Amino acid sequence: MTRVLLLGGTAEARALADRLVAAGVAVTTSLAGRVADPRLPAGAVRIGGFGGIDGLRTALADYDAVVDATHPFATTMSANAAAACRAAGLPLLRLERPGWAQPAGAAWHWADSHDQAGQIAARLGRRPVLTIGRQQLAAYLPALADATVLARVVEPPSIDLPLSWTVISDRGPYALPGELALLREHGADVVVTKDSGGRYTWPKMLAAEQLGLPVVVVRRPARPAGVTTVNDVERVLAWVLAGD
């Protein structure tokens, strides 16, 4: 039986874990441990880091294949997985949801970094809504320290934020009525997000479009070269089963 290490934390990873367990595959999902109460997938679960590339390479001795289904912005983990699998000679496949496609006429402004996204948001409005995760909030302070910011995160931030900022803790999936209410209640004039893709957080994009608000979208970072990427859980399942 193929022993699979699944680097997870996404809805796609949980769906894949369900399919692997149903197919009788020995799968262990690895979660980073940054969320206090994560949604747990089917099968075995480990929580916490590996200790860099060397630690991950050592851990790979217990597996036959690796699937990287981490978040599209989890660049460090993906880079470590590519390096460790290459060094250990283990097959690696990347499962990644497609990015969002900009609807015709939607007011999207693309940014190559969070710093740049903050600068663009500062030019577009003074009451931004940030939905970029708690780890990136510091990058927005230089441009938005004096703005009236609403930041939505899953876990409370670990840094001190200006008094003009409001932080709410919430987790998707979200629905359009709630997103419309959130933007209206804050009096939002710009929304900032990452190109996370998927349907869990797409309603905020629909809400921004309905309210005529500009959206600043941070582009996805480049992925490690030489790693095959698919966006279909069934294709990953077929890849794993072909290795049995």
Side-chain angles (χ1 to χ4, degrees), residues 67-95:
V67 177
D68 175 13
T70 55
H71 192 275
F73 284 78
T75 53
T76 299
M77 188 68 253
S78 291
N80 288 353
C85 287
R86 187 164 51 247
L90 250 63
L92 169 66
L93 186 66
R94 167 75 182 162
L95 171 61

Side-chain angles (χ1 to χ4, degrees), residues 5 21 23 37 39 50 58 60 85 93 118-119 124 128 132 134-135 156 161 202 214-215 231 233:
L5 175 62
V21 169
D37 185 25
R39 295 188 176 103
F50 291 94
T58 299
L60 292 183
C85 287
L93 186 66
Q119 295 167 12
L124 293 172
I132 41 78
R134 67 184 176 94
Q135 292 181 299
L161 297 172
W202 177 249
V215 180
N231 54 35
V233 167

Side-chain angles (χ1 to χ4, degrees), residues 188-203:
D189 50 17
V190 58
V191 176
V192 185
T193 188
K194 301 181 293 189
D195 183 17
S196 299
R199 55 185 173 82
Y200 272 30
T201 59
W202 177 249

Side-chain angles (χ1 to χ4, degrees), residues 131-150:
T131 61
I132 41 78
R134 67 184 176 94
Q135 292 181 299
Q136 288 79 33
L137 289 177
Y140 292 83
L141 290 175
L144 298 175
D146 297 327
T148 303
V149 173
L150 176 63

Side-chain angles (χ1 to χ4, degrees), residues 126-130 148-151 164 166 180-190:
R126 299 305 298 164
R127 299 187 64 85
V129 171
L130 305 184
T148 303
V149 173
L150 176 63
S164 61
T166 299
L180 286 168
L182 178 76
L183 298 180
R184 285 173 173 147
E185 288 170 7
H186 181 63
D189 50 17
V190 58

Side-chain angles (χ1 to χ4, degrees), residues 39-241:
R39 295 188 176 103
L40 296 179
V45 177
R46 68 172 302 280
I47 297 178
F50 291 94
I53 297 172
D54 291 339
L56 178 54
R57 182 181 178 184
T58 299
L60 292 183
D62 294 328
Y63 302 98
D64 303 303
V66 179
V67 177
D68 175 13
T70 55
H71 192 275
F73 284 78
T75 53
T76 299
M77 188 68 253
S78 291
N80 288 353
C85 287
R86 187 164 51 247
L90 250 63
L92 169 66
L93 186 66
R94 167 75 182 162
L95 171 61
E96 182 174 288
R97 71 187 74 138
W100 286 322
Q102 181 173 351
W108 288 14
H109 302 259
W110 291 88
D112 293 322
S113 68
H114 288 284
D115 290 325
Q116 186 182 51
Q119 295 167 12
I120 296 172
R123 293 197 301 267
L124 293 172
R126 299 305 298 164
R127 299 187 64 85
V129 171
L130 305 184
T131 61
I132 41 78
R134 67 184 176 94
Q135 292 181 299
Q136 288 79 33
L137 289 177
Y140 292 83
L141 290 175
L144 298 175
D146 297 327
T148 303
V149 173
L150 176 63
R152 183 170 67 190
V153 296
V154 175
E155 296 284 325
S158 57
I159 62 173
D160 292 330
L161 297 172
L163 295 177
S164 61
W165 287 38
T166 299
V167 177
I168 59 173
S169 295
D170 198 5
R171 178 190 293 177
Y174 299 102
L176 179 58
E179 298 295 73
L180 286 168
L182 178 76
L183 298 180
R184 285 173 173 147
E185 288 170 7
H186 181 63
D189 50 17
V190 58
V191 176
V192 185
T193 188
K194 301 181 293 189
D195 183 17
S196 299
R199 55 185 173 82
Y200 272 30
T201 59
W202 177 249
K204 69 186 171 192
M205 311 298 272
L206 296 176
E209 185 178 4
Q210 285 194 20
L211 296 176
L213 301 180
V215 180
V216 182
V217 186
V218 181
R219 288 188 176 91
R220 292 184 176 188
R223 283 287 164 190
V227 178
T228 301
T229 300
V230 299
N231 54 35
D232 185 348
V233 167
E234 295 303 317
R235 289 184 64 185
V236 182
L237 178 64
W239 178 80
V240 170
L241 295 179

